[in-house]
Amino acid sequence: MCGIYASYSKNAAKKVLLGLKRIEYRGYDSWGIASLKSGNISVRKQIGKLSNLKDIVFEQVDLSLGHTRWATHGGVTKINAHPHLAKNKSFALVQNGVVENYQDLKEKLISAGYEFVSETDTEIIVGLLEQEMEKKAEKTLNPEIFAKVFQNLSGRNTIAVITNDGRLMAIRHGSPLLVGKNSRRDYCFSSDILSMSDDMEEYIIVDSGEMVSFNCATKEFVVTNIETKMVIVKKFAPIDHRAEVSEKNEFGSYMLKEIHEQATVLPRVVSGLEKNFLLATKMLKDADQIFTLACGSASFATGNTAYLLRKAGYKASAIEAYEADSYLNLFNKYSVCIVYSQSGETADTNEIVELMKKKGAKIISVVNMPGSTLTQMSDLSFMLRVGPELAVASTKAFFGQVLWGTTIYDILTGLKFNDIEIKINEFEHKLKEWFSNNEIQKKIENLAKDLTKHEHLFVLGRGDLYYASLESALKLKEISYIHAEGFSGGELKHGVIALITKNTPVLCLVAEDKNKANMLNAISEVRARGGRTIVIAKQDNDLYSDWIQLPDTRDYIFLSSIIPSQLMTCYMAMVKGYDVDKPRNLAKSVTVK
Ligand code: M6R
């Protein structure tokens, strides 16, 4: 949530604007850029998406600091947008995180006479810094004051400032921060590595509790530990990850493109990784208890992995990170936890990983963002390599996570890695065929048009397809803003059936397995109440009001069933005229709790 990008270089403001565009997935309520020229800081802010911006020209400056916001405290207004300028205009500050003790700090500042102009928790930090500067009779903000004030904030926060005497400083606690540099001694501070301007050559990851400070006058760059005040020598590493230039092409949206890409990225999830997969399965075999951990869509993928592990005979429990409390006493050095996170920066997830590590549990993570915090914390980490996912709603990363879990299951149940690769190639081929079947694609589009008339939709799945039903419902909520609930086909008669009336649409995911008979029962119960059953299955049946034909594959029923529902959701949102890549109120990387 929220993106930070700062630059010291020729034409810094332009570089910041470009950097912010690349991290806009972190929040797109509003944006702002502060620039330093001849000792004066000017701030430009705007509400709305940066990507909608046309013809904006910035003055030539050497130092700029920018921010894209995902509102937590205070509405989406220009005043609440970052950067926030100090009253004496000596610095401008941006924040990624939440000041958890903000009420207490705000009251104290108000009683000390500080006048707030915004509703943000960020302005509290500005007020505290100004107060401390006054106490110390300092006209400009120095690293000592910056670090001292930061220590009064609770919560996961990363903050950055530019000062009117030409300093760029940032402190990280939780929310990610990286520093890039090149041989001209240009610098950039950014929330992720892929956003760094193309002329950056090397980078470091700033760790929690570290302050980075760059002085434009002396060109001195220093990293310090804010508690011990010791200077830390960090070695810059070459940047080997670049943002893949990604165009929407004929798809018109990243989401639709990324759904289609699922047919081609499959082999990348496993290729060349036999050794690591075998290591992971050894860790799982040696564990007393296995946990899976994630949030949102990723938690449906981990839920499915835990389900498969139990089927393979392992004690596995799926934990949603924000509901981990009751499990805390179960973690120990014999536990192994599988963690999925597209971003590797999800605060709810990473906080539990930190706790697990303290108790000695081993962490296996599956992430799609290079250099992420979660990767750094893991005993064994896998990069999904499905390519950057630019649409906020997860599709191909989720797909990769499910494939990763299925691969682990296949190995644990005796399949050779080579045979798994063959199976994946076959699946890839069948999926491509399915995508190029115009009749099926048109049918999904037409169904989507029809379903936009409804306000509520239910999704039923069971067994192998239970978590696919939960994920389908989440996608419908996120993108097409339709109230959708996913649940097990078995649950229907225990309550939800009360909501089924004439024409209520019920999306049903049916596998050719032992659950089929029970799913058919549920489907006939829906039909008996006049409901409309839209069924994603391999074979048609008289009970289905509408049938969406699945690819003719032996395996990967979860993966093939999720695609038609993703497509349907995407088309529904497009019909309604929504921005499918940047749905309202969401952000791709949820770095606040
Ligand atoms: O970056 P992560 O995979 O850890 O994110 C977890 C969830 O926030 C994420 O899956 C979210 O539910 C998406 N909006 C799904 O489309």
Side-chain angles (χ1 to χ4, degrees):
M1 317 239 120
C2 299
I4 295 177
Y5 197 95
S7 169
Y8 170 74
S9 65
K10 239 191 188 151
N11 230 342
K14 203 171 157 197
K15 293 231 172 91
V16 168
L17 185 71
L18 188 71
L20 290 184
K21 282 188 178 169
R22 287 177 172 172
I23 52 172
E24 200 181 15
Y25 67 84
R26 304 182 71 87
Y28 35 84
D29 294 340
S30 54
W31 61 274
I33 297 179
S35 296
L36 177 69
K37 185 151 194 192
S38 317
N40 291 317
I41 298 173
S42 59
V43 178
R44 195 154 174 179
K45 307 187 201 188
Q46 212 162 297
I47 57 170
K49 293 172 188 162
L50 261 170
S51 36
N52 294 342
L53 210 64
K54 298 227 161 48
D55 307 327
I56 185 158
V57 184
F58 283 96
E59 256 192 300
Q60 284 254 357
V61 292
D62 294 338
L63 186 63
S64 277
L65 167 66
H67 186 266
T68 57
R69 181 169 186 245
W70 185 87
T72 59
H73 294 63
V76 181
T77 63
K78 198 168 163 178
I79 289 180
N80 290 337
H82 305 207
H84 291 272
L85 192 59
K87 294 209 188 304
N88 67 2
K89 299 192 169 47
S90 63
F91 66 88
L93 180 139
V94 299
Q95 172 207 12
N96 174 14
V98 169
V99 178
E100 284 175 7
N101 53 341
Y102 87 100
Q103 279 179 322
D104 184 34
L105 295 173
K106 191 167 182 173
E107 273 164 29
K108 285 184 184 145
L109 277 168
I110 290 173
S111 27
Y114 189 85
E115 282 176 30
F116 281 87
V117 288
S118 79
E119 304 153 305
T120 62
D121 52 341
T122 318
E123 202 186 343
I124 289 157
I125 315 173
V126 175
L128 291 173
L129 289 169
E130 289 188 85
Q131 203 177 46
E132 194 61 24
M133 281 165 68
E134 244 174 67
K135 252 197 236 162
K136 298 261 158 58
E138 292 285 356
K139 288 217 164 49
T140 51
L141 178 61
N142 60 43
E144 293 71 38
I145 293 178
F146 191 49
K148 185 176 173 212
V149 165
F150 186 84
Q151 282 161 298
N152 296 326
L153 312 176
S154 50
R156 300 169 85 84
N157 282 289
T158 290
I159 59 173
V161 285
I162 55 168
T163 65
N164 60 352
D165 63 343
R167 276 178 208 271
L168 170 61
M169 300 187 281
I171 301 177
R172 177 193 178 180
H173 176 65
S175 306
L177 184 71
L178 297 99
V179 176
K181 77 163 186 193
N182 64 18
S183 48
R184 288 195 305 273
R185 294 174 79 184
D186 293 344
Y187 279 85
C188 85
F189 291 10
S190 177
S191 299
D192 83 29
I193 189 169
L194 297 178
S195 64
M196 288 191 181
S197 68
D198 301 337
D199 60 350
M200 290 292 110
E201 293 156 6
E202 300 179 302
Y203 77 104
I204 52 166
I205 298 172
V206 181
D207 289 314
S208 279
E210 290 178 353
M211 173 169 66
V212 281
S213 160
F214 176 71
N215 186 329
C216 301
T218 60
K219 304 265 191 299
E220 192 191 17
F221 174 77
V222 191
V223 187
T224 36
N225 179 302
I226 57 166
E227 266 176 35
T228 62
K229 301 189 177 64
M230 300 283 280
V231 171
I232 300 165
V233 182
K234 291 189 96 124
K235 203 170 158 7
F236 278 79
I239 298 179
D240 46 11
H241 307 285
R242 292 281 174 200
E244 277 175 36
V245 182
S246 186
E247 300 298 334
K248 297 174 193 169
N249 301 336
E250 74 276 14
F251 296 102
S253 71
Y254 286 117
M255 183 175 179
L256 192 55
K257 182 176 174 233
E258 285 160 8
I259 294 173
H260 279 256
E261 276 172 2
Q262 294 176 130
T264 51
V265 296
L266 283 156
R268 295 199 217 163
V269 176
V270 299
S271 87
L273 294 178
E274 179 171 7
K275 209 171 124 221
N276 276 11
F277 268 103
L278 295 180
L279 260 175
T281 45
K282 172 154 188 346
M283 283 168 75
L284 296 173
K285 281 179 187 163
D286 292 346
D288 260 17
Q289 187 159 13
I290 302 168
F291 297 98
T292 66
L293 182 78
C295 293
S297 290
S299 79
F300 301 142
T302 49
N304 181 255
T305 302
Y307 159 87
L308 290 175
L309 287 169
R310 289 192 297 274
K311 268 178 80 164
Y314 292 81
K315 266 199 264 170
S317 315
I319 311 177
E320 289 133 2
Y322 40 81
E323 286 297 338
D325 272 8
S326 65
Y327 293 90
L328 295 183
N329 287 330
L330 302 182
F331 306 146
N332 58 45
K333 61 180 179 181
Y334 307 108
S335 331
V336 171
C337 184
I338 299 173
V339 192
Y340 293 164
S341 175
Q342 184 285 132
S343 62
E345 301 296 350
T346 301
D348 289 315
T349 305
N350 287 358
E351 196 166 290
I352 301 303
V353 170
E354 279 164 19
L355 287 172
M356 284 180 161
K357 281 183 70 76
K358 279 189 190 139
K359 296 199 165 200
K362 303 270 177 309
I363 309 295
I364 303 174
S365 67
V366 183
V367 177
N368 198 39
M369 179 62 84
S372 74
T373 308
L374 178 57
T375 305
Q376 287 172 268
M377 291 196 289
S378 307
D379 297 277
L380 180 61
S381 75
F382 286 77
M383 219 19 82
L384 266 182
R385 303 183 297 181
V386 295
E389 195 178 59
L390 300 179
V392 164
S394 189
T395 53
K396 63 175 178 173
F398 171 79
F399 197 81
Q401 291 158 351
V402 174
L403 178 65
W404 188 94
T406 313
T407 305
I408 286 286
Y409 169 82
D410 283 343
I411 299 172
L412 287 172
T413 51
L415 228 65
K416 293 270 170 295
F417 200 77
N418 191 34
D419 293 333
I420 295 173
E421 289 190 295
I422 294 172
K423 199 168 83 148
I424 289 178
N425 287 336
E426 273 173 27
F427 181 51
E428 186 191 5
H429 176 71
K430 292 283 181 187
L431 266 188
K432 282 181 182 159
E433 251 177 32
W434 183 87
F435 269 115
S436 55
N437 182 325
N438 287 335
E439 208 181 309
I440 299 178
Q441 303 304 316
K442 207 73 232 144
K443 189 163 186 184
I444 297 175
E445 254 187 277
N446 288 339
L447 270 169
K449 268 185 212 147
D450 214 25
L451 289 173
T452 47
K453 294 182 214 127
H454 297 270
E455 276 179 36
H456 309 277
L457 207 150
F458 300 103
V459 192
L460 299 185
R462 221 182 146 119
D464 285 357
L465 293 177
Y466 170 60
Y467 285 99
S469 73
L470 304 189
E471 168 60 4
S472 299
L474 181 65
K475 277 291 147 302
L476 282 157
K477 288 178 224 179
E478 288 185 302
I479 306 302
S480 48
Y481 312 149
I482 280 180
H483 168 234
E485 296 299 334
F487 49 91
S488 165
E491 182 61 30
L492 180 74
K493 56 192 176 298
H494 296 289
V496 191
I497 200 159
L499 293 170
I500 309 292
T501 56
K502 195 163 182 297
N503 281 331
T504 305
V506 183
L507 182 64
C508 308
L509 313 178
V510 177
E512 299 296 319
D513 62 12
K514 65 172 185 190
N515 285 303
K516 184 171 178 180
N518 284 328
M519 274 304 288
L520 291 181
N521 288 343
I523 290 169
S524 33
E525 284 155 15
V526 172
R527 290 298 300 273
R529 272 120 197 124
R532 176 175 175 188
T533 53
I534 303 115
V535 185
I536 298 176
K538 264 191 195 164
Q539 288 161 14
D540 200 359
N541 188 301
D542 286 347
L543 287 171
Y544 306 166
S545 319
D546 305 276
W547 173 52
I548 301 175
Q549 189 182 347
L550 279 179
D552 181 23
T553 56
R554 281 189 294 136
D555 292 292
Y556 301 119
I557 180 69
F558 186 121
L559 293 174
S560 43
S561 301
I562 201 69
I563 292 179
S565 100
Q566 292 170 335
L567 279 172
M568 218 167 68
T569 304
C570 192
Y571 290 136
M572 281 164 83
M574 282 157 68
V575 171
K576 289 174 143 194
Y578 300 146
D579 182 345
V580 293
D581 290 337
K582 294 196 175 72
R584 72 179 175 215
N585 303 339
L586 299 183
K588 184 121 195 105
S589 183
V590 188
T591 55
V592 294
K593 290 211 336 162

